[in-house]
Amino acid sequence: MAFYNSPLGLLSFLLLLLLSATATATTSSSGGIRLGIIRKPTPYVPIFREAPAFRNGESCNDNRIHVTMTLDANYLRGTMAAVLSMLQHSMCPENVEFHFLCTRFEPDVEASIKSTFPYLKFKVYRFDSNRVRGKISKSIRQALDQPLNYARIYLADIIPADVKRVIYLDSDLVLVDDIAKLWEVDLEGKVLAAPEYCHANFTKYFTILFWSDKSLAMTFDGRKPCYFNTGVMVVDVDKWRQGRYTQRVEEWMAVQKQKRIYQLGSLPPFLLVLAGN
């Protein structure tokens, strides 16, 4: 796996604090903002201002940048902030296409995206949560046990076959630089790139049961494993499919069901398959 390991990664990512959700109709058509776009509020989907139309600069080509994120009403503010930050800082915002993964289609959520970003290129795909039923082990935080948290493992099976590379981002991030810089990361022939942190005690990500079992502990023999952030990944989708990485991650999830070898959700099986490779 290729890594970019500057203090903040190739791009500077900031945790989302808050996105103001104000119900309003736009009053000016300047900057490409349309008039009178109002969506009626629902009990669980916030209302956002319509964003301006972000247009490509003169130097842009037709190359697409594919971004995948999960989509859920509970985290919609984060998703909106992430999308807005990408468009704001991109030299070629019209080249960015979004692939949203959800466990169920929620018309109000999709309508909120359309009304906030009328010019956005995006598709919503349903992730069948049955694919992880019986495979998820209880972790130390309930939020980590949600099926959608595991959708990133299956994104190569969900997005269109003609998408060869994709950026996966968690919805609690905002970008402060051009997404194209992340898209252009050299994978050096590896299946993915992610921000790496080698100063953490890597052994703490796995239990005593794991390290005391020689057949399991030797998994990292010949490797120099470090923690990496699965919330920011550039993935060669073809290599992921060809290398059967989904199945390889699932195999470790099956081991976890038999004996508790880690504590934290979907991250450890990624580390077992990819850390140090």
Side-chain angles (χ1 to χ4, degrees):
M1 174 169 46
F3 294 96
Y4 45 94
N5 53 13
S6 61
L8 295 180
L10 182 64
L11 299 180
S12 297
F13 289 96
L14 302 176
L15 287 177
L16 170 68
L17 297 178
L18 182 65
L19 178 66
S20 175
T22 307
T24 183
T26 55
T27 58
S28 171
S29 59
S30 63
I33 300 178
R34 300 188 303 172
L35 293 174
I37 305 299
I38 303 178
R39 186 176 60 79
K40 293 182 179 180
T42 62
Y44 61 94
V45 177
I47 303 295
F48 302 90
R49 291 179 184 269
E50 182 182 325
F54 296 95
R55 300 302 186 189
N56 282 358
E58 294 181 358
S59 61
C60 294
N61 52 34
D62 295 329
N63 294 337
R64 298 300 182 200
I65 296 175
H66 296 277
V67 177
T68 301
M69 303 176 69
T70 56
L71 185 63
D72 183 276
N74 294 322
Y75 302 99
L76 187 57
R77 284 186 174 87
T79 302
M80 292 295 198
V83 171
L84 180 62
S85 68
M86 274 180 260
L87 299 177
Q88 282 180 322
H89 294 95
S90 175
M91 286 292 294
C92 305
E94 293 178 278
N95 290 5
V96 184
E97 294 187 7
F98 291 86
H99 305 267
F100 294 115
L101 311 180
C102 63
T103 53
R104 65 181 184 275
F105 290 117
E106 299 179 279
D108 289 331
V109 172
E110 187 169 347
S112 182
I113 296 174
K114 289 180 178 178
S115 63
T116 306
F117 303 105
Y119 310 96
L120 193 70
K121 297 181 179 71
F122 77 93
K123 291 182 180 179
V124 179
Y125 308 83
R126 181 177 176 271
F127 167 60
D128 184 1
S129 58
N130 288 322
R131 296 197 66 171
V132 290
R133 297 294 183 195
K135 298 176 183 175
I136 298 176
S137 299
K138 187 175 181 180
S139 65
I140 59 175
R141 297 209 328 258
Q142 186 177 1
L144 299 177
D145 301 338
Q146 301 305 310
L148 196 57
N149 195 46
Y150 290 79
R152 73 196 77 190
I153 299 170
Y154 301 91
L155 66 86
D157 300 331
I158 301 172
I159 61 177
D162 61 347
V163 176
K164 307 301 182 183
R165 172 184 282 220
V166 71
I167 297 172
Y168 176 87
L169 295 176
D170 277 347
S171 59
D172 60 351
L173 301 171
V174 294
L175 279 71
V176 295
D177 207 342
D178 196 331
I179 189 71
K181 294 181 180 179
L182 189 57
W183 180 255
E184 293 165 0
V185 164
D186 183 0
L187 296 184
E188 301 174 358
K190 305 296 185 179
V191 67
L192 65 80
E196 184 183 44
Y197 183 71
C198 291
H199 299 292
N201 185 347
F202 188 80
T203 62
K204 297 297 185 182
Y205 289 98
F206 303 96
T207 64
I208 294 175
L209 276 177
F210 175 84
W211 294 113
S212 61
D213 187 323
K214 292 183 179 179
S215 64
L216 296 177
M218 67 185 299
T219 299
F220 295 109
D221 285 358
R223 295 157 61 178
K224 295 181 179 179
C226 293
Y227 161 85
F228 67 90
N229 185 357
T230 57
V232 183
M233 298 188 293
V234 184
V235 183
D236 184 321
V237 184
D238 275 349
K239 276 190 169 60
W240 183 278
R241 293 176 181 130
Q242 293 164 9
R244 301 181 69 254
Y245 282 92
T246 294
Q247 290 75 18
R248 292 163 68 176
V249 172
E250 284 183 324
E251 287 168 3
W252 281 112
M253 292 168 65
V255 174
Q256 167 74 350
K257 293 293 289 186
Q258 297 170 6
K259 56 173 67 176
R260 195 163 185 81
I261 60 173
Y262 55 79
Q263 304 286 356
L264 288 172
S266 63
L267 171 62
F270 268 91
L271 298 178
L272 287 160
V273 174
L274 292 161
N277 282 334

